[in-house]
Amino acid sequence: MLDLTTAFATFPVLETERFLLRAVTLDDVATMFRIMSDPQVTRYFGMLPMATPAEAQERVQMIQTAFQEQTGVRWAIADRANGQLIGTCGFWRLIKPHDRAEIGYELAQAWWGQGVMTEALAAMLQFGFTRMGLHSVEAQIHPDNSGSRRVLEKLGFVQEGYFRENYFDKVEARFTDTAVYSLLKQRWMSRAAS
């Protein structure tokens, strides 16, 4: 059963070997803007790159509000060596009656291909399944996003659906397809135990 009151009593800081997953703060606005204004980073977000730092500030405030209202949680992924924000990841679209959530994430281009998101999402998923009480997690991706697909598959997600032209992509200015991936708690826990 989804237990957000306990899980969200204080912001859950998570640690991995290389990264600290912490709360996103207004101090992150400038770095978030640099990341989210990169068209390569936002390519598969279905949104245009950020044009002003005010958009990054609005995003930070939206992330903070979601946590306060227990409608989602998104972590800043910070390099443990220097504390630098390199991306974010989190659970959103919490479907409380079904103990289910969707995940989302982005990463500064300089960090691509280094296993960052696999490491960060593993910590996040462990928290989601053991502390939040999630039963299942889904991810919806653009079918051409091979990097995201590889990360999800490494973590045990399986593709369970494919929707044709269900999403209007502002970058492509057309309707695009969506691949839907899912991970059950039972599968995650059995992989973590082995």
Side-chain angles (χ1 to χ4, degrees), residues 2 73 75 89-95 98-105 121-140 152 155-161 179-189:
L2 212 56
V73 58
W75 287 268
C89 61
F91 296 109
W92 70 285
R93 204 169 63 85
L94 299 178
I95 307 167
H98 304 291
D99 300 340
R100 186 171 176 88
E102 185 173 344
I103 62 171
Y105 43 88
L121 291 181
M124 185 185 90
L125 289 166
Q126 183 68 19
F127 177 84
F129 287 128
T130 62
R131 298 280 308 283
M132 289 172 61
L134 290 170
H135 174 75
S136 62
V137 175
E138 75 178 66
Q140 297 190 22
L152 294 172
L155 292 166
F157 282 79
V158 294
Q159 184 175 332
E160 293 190 349
V180 181
Y181 285 77
S182 185
L183 177 63
L184 296 176
K185 177 179 182 175
Q186 180 182 12
R187 179 174 169 87
W188 174 258
M189 299 307 280

Side-chain angles (χ1 to χ4, degrees), residues 6 12 15 24-25 33 41 47-48 53 72-73 77-79 82 92 128-129 131 140 157 164 170 179-180:
T6 302
E15 295 186 44
V24 177
T25 71
F33 175 66
V41 171
M47 61 178 257
L48 298 171
V73 58
I77 304 169
D79 181 358
N82 60 19
W92 70 285
F129 287 128
R131 298 280 308 283
Q140 297 190 22
F157 282 79
R164 296 178 48 81
K170 291 180 183 177
V180 181

Side-chain angles (χ1 to χ4, degrees), residues 5 18 46 66 74 87-88 96 101 106 136 142 161 163 170 176 181:
T5 303
R18 298 180 293 164
R74 196 166 191 103
T88 72
K96 295 177 183 181
E106 81 281 334
S136 62
H142 190 296
F163 297 107
K170 291 180 183 177
T176 59
Y181 285 77

Side-chain angles (χ1 to χ4, degrees), residues 42-172:
T42 60
R43 166 66 189 88
Y44 295 115
F45 259 56
M47 61 178 257
L48 298 171
M50 287 184 178
T52 68
E55 291 174 83
Q57 181 171 339
E58 185 178 313
R59 182 172 170 84
V60 167
Q61 290 169 331
M62 184 179 66
I63 289 168
Q64 292 173 336
T65 299
F67 181 75
Q68 291 163 1
E69 295 177 353
Q70 297 186 358
T71 59
V73 58
R74 196 166 191 103
W75 287 268
I77 304 169
D79 181 358
R80 284 180 74 158
N82 60 19
Q84 173 191 4
L85 175 73
I86 62 171
T88 72
C89 61
F91 296 109
W92 70 285
R93 204 169 63 85
L94 299 178
I95 307 167
K96 295 177 183 181
H98 304 291
D99 300 340
R100 186 171 176 88
E102 185 173 344
I103 62 171
Y105 43 88
E106 81 281 334
L107 185 64
Q109 194 175 169
W111 288 86
W112 290 3
Q114 299 176 46
V116 174
M117 205 50 72
T118 303
E119 186 175 330
L121 291 181
M124 185 185 90
L125 289 166
Q126 183 68 19
F127 177 84
F129 287 128
T130 62
R131 298 280 308 283
M132 289 172 61
L134 290 170
H135 174 75
S136 62
V137 175
E138 75 178 66
Q140 297 190 22
I141 66 168
H142 190 296
D144 294 342
N145 191 345
S146 58
S148 192
R149 184 180 334 98
R150 280 192 303 273
V151 167
L152 294 172
E153 290 172 352
K154 281 181 195 174
L155 292 166
F157 282 79
V158 294
Q159 184 175 332
E160 293 190 349
Y162 191 94
F163 297 107
R164 296 178 48 81
E165 296 187 17
N166 72 315
Y167 187 83
F168 186 78
D169 188 311
K170 291 180 183 177
V171 175
E172 296 183 21

